[in-house]
Amino acid sequence: MIPPIDLPPAPAAPLWRANWPLVQLLGITPALLGTTSVVEGLALGVLTTLVLVAANAVAGTLGALVLPAARATLHLLAAVTAVTCLDWLVHATLYDLHGALGIYLPLIVANGGLLMEARSFERGRALGAAVAGALFAGIGFTAVLTVLGAARELVGQGTLFAGLELLGAEGASWLTVRLPFDGAQIALAPPGALLGLGILLALRNRSAPGTTTAPR
Amino acid sequence: MAARDGRVLGTVIVGAVALAAAVAAMNTTYRWSRDRVAAHERAAIVARLDSVLDPALRSRDVTTARLTLDGDPLLGGAAPLDAFVMDDGRGPVATVLTVVAPLGYNGPIQLLVGISPQGVVTGIRAVRHRETAGLGDAIDAGKSDWMLQFDARALVAPEPDRWAVRQDEGDFDAIAGATVTSRAVVSAVKNALLYFERERDALYAAAAAESEEDDDPTD
């Protein structure tokens, strides 16, 4: 029997107080491996947000019509459909971004944060609060991925905002910052991701001590 | 009990409708994306082809015939490989072979080799490899100019037995710290040129037959 999961106290909690990677330690795999640059972190975060909003909207709308036990399944069905469609849409429109994200785009569906959201519908959740919660969780997740991507890109290859053309923004490539050093390879390798996440966690714990575990 | 039966029925109906909607959404997205993805893939290959061709050809109107070659030791293995022959209407002007350097440091290295009709290298690019980051990955054109040293080389310049890295009495610089990678690439390029020398006429004949097939309106 899986213990019941408590709802976050407020829709806005996952933005910071219950942030997925920094507080609940969810969504770690994409955070660690899919974020070697600002562009990748941002793209992965935004795509996850879209999936979460779609899934929460569907579960929030139809959840009241079905048995509580079926609500998580409904949420997952919506999430899987959204991820599959987004994967094809990105492949068709932003072909190079699809190549850069690789396996981490379809893996959005296995995000721990997403799965926890699915279970939270078993106790019923109003549509408005569910969509708002999805937005806040997604924005909090995107922010962490982007910051982590920025740190790794800066240290790892001495650039910032490289690859903006992957997002279809060729005109914005003047934003790319190139520092006069080639970078330390370790920041781009998996150990660099662990270091980066560890530093962010430490900073987060300093700013709000005693709240590292999932909120009650 | 009746209320619960109602919820079960509702669950079944909502579930069935949701499932049908999901299938319809995925089906529509797939149909919309399929052709666009295929177009991107073709463009990605063509973009890579251009990088190994004589720059003078880029502004000219050439048709490209795609061939599938049987595996050959000189191409690096037994698996069939793609080749492209460019024709400007008066005859073949360039050939691009995809070849494999089997003895890379971390496994096979896949290369695009552009060759002029005279057997001169017009460009080499690594398209797939797992060479060590920071050392062997200098074979990527974006990371170093190492690959550019093959431009304008041919089997007569240098002589075939000088097609080796300097450590092996050859004429080519090796990447510092990645001699194995360098050896693998030099040898693969040399073999590609040997293959071209041996098979040029057959390649051109196959490309001409391929183009004719494409022109057939009933095809």
Side-chain angles (χ1 to χ4, degrees):
Chain A
M1 183 71 195
I2 307 161
I5 290 177
D6 291 325
L7 283 179
L15 186 64
W16 177 245
R17 265 184 346 104
N19 185 282
W20 284 0
L22 291 191
V23 182
Q24 314 197 61
L25 300 183
L26 294 170
I28 296 294
T29 303
L32 288 186
L33 298 164
T35 58
T36 52
S37 70
V38 173
V39 166
E40 284 170 20
L42 187 66
L44 217 46
V46 169
L47 291 168
T48 307
T49 307
L50 290 175
V51 171
L52 188 60
V53 168
N56 276 19
V58 168
T61 311
L62 302 179
L65 304 175
V66 302
L67 292 168
R71 289 177 193 152
T73 312
L74 209 54
H75 187 273
L76 284 179
L77 176 67
V80 167
T81 308
V83 168
T84 307
C85 291
L86 272 179
D87 189 30
W88 284 330
L89 289 176
V90 172
H91 204 175
T93 52
L94 299 169
Y95 183 79
D96 294 327
L97 178 69
H98 189 268
L101 294 180
I103 189 66
Y104 300 107
L105 206 175
L107 271 185
I108 286 174
V109 84
N111 189 308
L114 208 68
L115 301 178
M116 191 193 64
E117 286 284 317
R119 288 216 57 213
S120 75
F121 280 91
E122 287 170 10
R123 310 167 118 219
R125 238 173 131 183
L127 175 62
V131 171
L135 271 176
F136 283 117
I139 293 168
F141 188 55
T142 306
V144 172
L145 292 198
T146 308
V147 169
L148 197 56
R152 294 179 69 191
E153 185 182 346
L154 205 59
V155 179
Q157 55 182 34
T159 66
L160 208 53
F161 303 114
L164 278 171
E165 69 278 359
L166 297 182
L167 300 175
E170 272 93 356
S173 49
W174 56 270
L175 273 171
T176 303
V177 179
R178 281 179 209 287
L179 297 184
F181 87 112
D182 286 342
Q185 193 70 35
I186 187 163
L188 299 182
L194 285 165
L195 286 171
L197 187 67
I199 290 168
L200 284 184
L201 269 167
L203 290 175
R204 150 80 222 198
N205 285 354
R206 238 186 120 80
S207 78
T211 57
T212 345
T213 50
R216 268 165 297 205
Chain B
M1 207 57 212
R4 184 170 165 83
D5 286 347
R7 294 293 294 279
V8 170
L9 188 64
T11 302
V12 170
I13 292 171
V14 170
V17 170
L19 205 56
V23 169
M26 288 193 274
N27 198 7
T28 309
T29 315
Y30 176 68
R31 283 162 181 279
W32 186 85
S33 310
R34 190 176 39 189
D35 295 342
R36 286 170 176 82
V37 171
H40 279 298
E41 273 164 0
R42 277 195 301 274
I45 288 175
V46 168
R48 292 193 304 192
L49 288 182
D50 268 357
S51 66
V52 298
L53 292 180
D54 181 349
L57 283 179
R58 287 177 204 165
S59 56
R60 282 166 54 188
D61 192 23
V62 296
T63 56
T64 302
R66 183 188 189 130
L67 306 171
T68 305
L69 306 181
D70 292 335
D72 188 288
L74 290 179
L75 295 177
L81 289 160
D82 283 337
F84 304 85
V85 176
M86 288 74 183
D87 192 306
D88 68 352
R90 287 168 295 176
V93 288
T95 306
V96 178
L97 300 177
T98 55
V99 308
V100 174
L103 298 176
Y105 192 74
N106 294 332
I109 302 168
Q110 201 176 7
L111 302 169
L112 279 184
V113 180
I115 310 172
S116 81
Q118 293 75 37
V120 177
V121 172
T122 53
I124 313 283
R125 290 290 181 276
V127 288
R128 196 158 58 213
H129 70 83
R130 291 186 299 154
E131 297 307 289
T132 314
L135 294 171
D137 71 345
I139 58 176
D140 280 332
K143 299 213 168 96
S144 90
D145 288 342
W146 187 80
M147 276 295 197
L148 304 183
Q149 67 174 321
F150 293 103
D151 293 0
R153 300 285 196 156
L155 279 180
V156 291
E159 298 296 322
D161 62 350
R162 303 285 295 175
W163 273 79
V165 295
R166 295 203 195 284
Q167 288 90 324
D168 304 335
E169 323 267 294
D171 272 13
F172 293 91
D173 291 325
I175 299 163
T179 311
V180 172
T181 307
S182 311
R183 270 191 195 118
V185 173
V186 171
S187 146
V189 175
K190 176 189 178 184
N191 286 339
L193 291 175
L194 287 170
Y195 179 89
F196 181 75
E197 196 174 63
R198 194 185 78 201
E199 300 286 339
R200 175 174 53 193
D201 295 342
L203 283 173
Y204 286 172
E210 177 85 0
S211 306
E212 238 150 71
E213 220 168 87
D214 284 349
D215 290 342
D216 186 351
T218 59
D219 186 26

